[in-house]
Amino acid sequence: MANYSTNDFRPGLKVMVEQDPCTILDNEFVKPGKGQAFNRVRFRNLKTGRVVEKTLKSGDTLEAADVFDVEMQYLYNDGDFWHFMEPDNFEQYQADHHAIGETNKWLREQDLCIVTLYNGSPLSVTPPNHVELEIVETDPGLRGDTASGGTKPARLSTGAVIKVPLFVESGESVKVDTRTGEYLGRA
Amino acid sequence: MVAKHNTWKSGVDLETLKYRSFVMKELRRFLSNRGVLEIDVPVVGRSSVTDPGVSSFDVSSEHFRGFLQTSPEYFMKRLLASGSGDIFSLGKAFRAEEEGPAHNPEFTLLEWYRINWDEHQLIEEVVDLVSVFTPSVNLLKISYGELFQQVLGLNPHNAELSELQSRAEEANFGSWSTGFRSGCLDVLFETFVRPNMPDGLVILFDYPACQRALAQLHSVDGQQVSRRFEVFLNNSELANGYFELNNFSDHQNRFNEDRCERHAMGKFLPEDDLLLLEAVKSGLPDCAGVAFGVDRLLLQLLGAARIDEIMPFSWVRC
């Protein structure tokens, strides 16, 4: 892979830091007038999700990470692996529980997700920002109560538990923001 | 980042342009009223500086060799050696490879020299100048060594290089093992000392001998330190001044040391500015001089986060 110099560092650039693929979050140029120029760079480690900060001499280089985001369709879970397919060429990939992590609770078969590939294997999976899922379990609704603003827990078909308004019933489909787990409305 | 479709426009509004103009007028008025003569020196010269941490733009053409000047210092010292008396320059300076929220490769620099003054007299004048714009500014004046010691528990003048390197490594400095003493001090200073300075003006004096640039050395409590000072406003570096070196052979030695350091860093090796050296040989008067970043002053006075917000066209719009 190519090398990137600190001058090329932009948010979103994927580079190798101590053998792990990382994405650059921000890059600040620091230099005393007469002194050493350096760059204070914040990275997110794509394997662990941890944010690390490093100080590099300006002009130092890091190796590019073989990391790509690909849109794929979620197919099914066989108990051990989650299977995805690139719609364009029908190429299939399997992701293990490390790669899936919390995303599991938002995955509905056929939905399009962003699969991040590292050296050709799924490293992480990002669900769509908004998903529509069915409520499988919640306390009976208080009919007519659309104004009080109270909420109750509801379990969705994928296993996620979210807060919904009191008037929403089991069996209904709801729209959820996967980044916050917030109820957005009836689907 | 600036949206691409808007880069034809200036980054500043009319109010900021007017304030910028007001500040430039006041800077001129302040120094002129105190009997300092405004001079204008070339921005292109045949030589560039040897400072290891400063890079020049090479603007040579087919038959002319030239560099954009990183400061008016050498031309001004040639005027001082010719008997100009106290002088100031308010103009553009250029430093390649410098771009960031507080850096632009082309910037506005106010530089002035006071004959028969020492660095502490000049510090007082810098404080007076900043007070024109922020009259009741907090002021802390402390030696570099004392503040460094307070924050890091380490004497920057006589700590072992290996200790500075391992502390720099703690600061997540990747390539510390090749670090020079001065570079390690810079990383530690920028990581721990500068971000924790109190608001207002902070003035540091008696810089480490390894960061003397063209300042004279003197001995304080048996420790060789440089007669260099730096001024910070709200944690932002604002000005850098010296009790100026004026001995010919010291100049030659420092230029040679700079070149050795540049060689080790794999940087371009500039030739000595022979015209400056001749001027020094003929006699540079005892004087103190300071370079003062006008854009940095505006950045702090207007509370802006990026230099693009206070100069008509920063590099992203050029």
Side-chain angles (χ1 to χ4, degrees), chain B residues 130-191:
Chain B
V130 174
S131 304
V132 169
F133 305 101
T134 56
S136 52
V137 67
N138 280 334
L139 177 65
L140 171 69
K141 186 181 171 190
I142 184 172
S143 75
Y144 179 101
E146 197 179 337
L147 186 63
F148 197 96
Q149 176 97 40
Q150 273 179 19
V151 176
L152 283 141
L154 204 59
N155 182 325
H157 304 301
N158 60 21
E160 294 289 332
L161 177 60
S162 58
E163 188 167 11
L164 295 175
Q165 286 171 336
S166 72
R167 293 297 290 270
E169 192 188 14
E170 282 170 40
N172 275 324
F173 184 44
S175 21
W176 59 272
S177 57
T178 55
F180 289 94
R181 183 173 191 89
S182 175
C184 289
L185 289 175
D186 281 344
V187 168
L188 292 171
F189 185 87
E190 290 293 321
T191 308

Side-chain angles (χ1 to χ4, degrees), chain A residues 144-185:
Chain A
D145 182 0
T146 56
S148 72
T151 61
K152 59 181 180 178
R155 185 195 305 281
L156 307 178
S157 56
T158 53
V161 176
I162 64 164
K163 282 183 181 157
V164 298
L166 298 174
F167 57 82
V168 178
E169 306 270 14
S170 272
E172 284 191 89
S173 281
V174 292
K175 203 173 181 186
V176 188
D177 187 321
T178 59
R179 294 162 295 187
T180 58
E182 203 180 335
Y183 166 88
L184 296 173

Side-chain angles (χ1 to χ4, degrees), chain A:
Chain A
M1 295 295 283
N3 281 318
Y4 292 114
S5 143
T6 52
N7 299 320
D8 308 320
F9 288 4
R10 298 280 179 274
L13 192 74
K14 311 289 195 296
V15 290
M16 297 300 290
V17 180
E18 288 160 359
Q19 281 95 51
D20 274 350
C22 290
T23 185
I24 291 175
L25 299 176
D26 51 51
N27 172 25
E28 187 195 359
F29 179 77
V30 182
K31 185 183 183 300
K34 287 279 178 188
Q36 169 80 54
F38 49 93
N39 291 63
R40 197 167 285 143
V41 191
R42 284 198 317 130
F43 309 90
R44 184 185 303 283
N45 183 316
L46 292 170
K47 275 188 173 169
T48 65
R50 280 183 37 222
V51 174
V52 288
E53 189 177 281
K54 281 219 156 284
T55 304
L56 296 152
K57 269 184 199 159
S58 293
D60 276 2
T61 59
L62 289 175
E63 193 191 341
D66 178 14
V67 172
F68 296 97
D69 289 337
V70 184
E71 193 175 57
M72 293 193 202
Q73 191 171 41
Y74 170 55
L75 299 177
Y76 63 95
N77 170 16
D78 66 11
D80 293 323
F81 293 99
W82 287 257
H83 295 262
F84 294 85
M85 181 183 73
E86 271 190 79
D88 295 346
N89 56 18
F90 309 112
E91 190 133 354
Q92 292 196 19
Y93 295 84
Q94 54 179 31
D96 63 15
H97 71 276
H98 290 296
I100 291 291
E102 289 282 289
T103 299
N104 180 32
K105 66 183 187 186
W106 306 118
L107 284 181
R108 195 179 63 165
E109 290 173 10
Q110 316 301 324
D111 275 356
L112 288 172
C113 303
I114 300 295
V115 178
T116 302
L117 296 175
Y118 169 49
N119 292 336
S121 305
L123 180 69
S124 65
V125 178
T126 311
N129 290 343
H130 300 153
V131 291
E132 287 175 12
L133 294 168
E134 190 191 334
I135 295 178
V136 294
E137 191 187 337
T138 188
D139 289 339
L142 295 167
R143 205 160 277 290
D145 182 0
T146 56
S148 72
T151 61
K152 59 181 180 178
R155 185 195 305 281
L156 307 178
S157 56
T158 53
V161 176
I162 64 164
K163 282 183 181 157
V164 298
L166 298 174
F167 57 82
V168 178
E169 306 270 14
S170 272
E172 284 191 89
S173 281
V174 292
K175 203 173 181 186
V176 188
D177 187 321
T178 59
R179 294 162 295 187
T180 58
E182 203 180 335
Y183 166 88
L184 296 173
R186 284 163 155 158

Side-chain angles (χ1 to χ4, degrees), chain B residues 40 44 52 55 64 95 100 113 132 137 168 180 183 190 195 210 224 231 257 264 283 295 299 304 311-312:
Chain B
D40 58 326
V44 182
S55 301
F64 282 72
R95 295 189 190 170
Y113 291 85
V132 169
V137 67
F180 289 94
E190 290 293 321
C210 65
Q224 282 275 96
V231 181
E257 287 162 14
D295 304 299
L299 207 57
M311 54 169 51

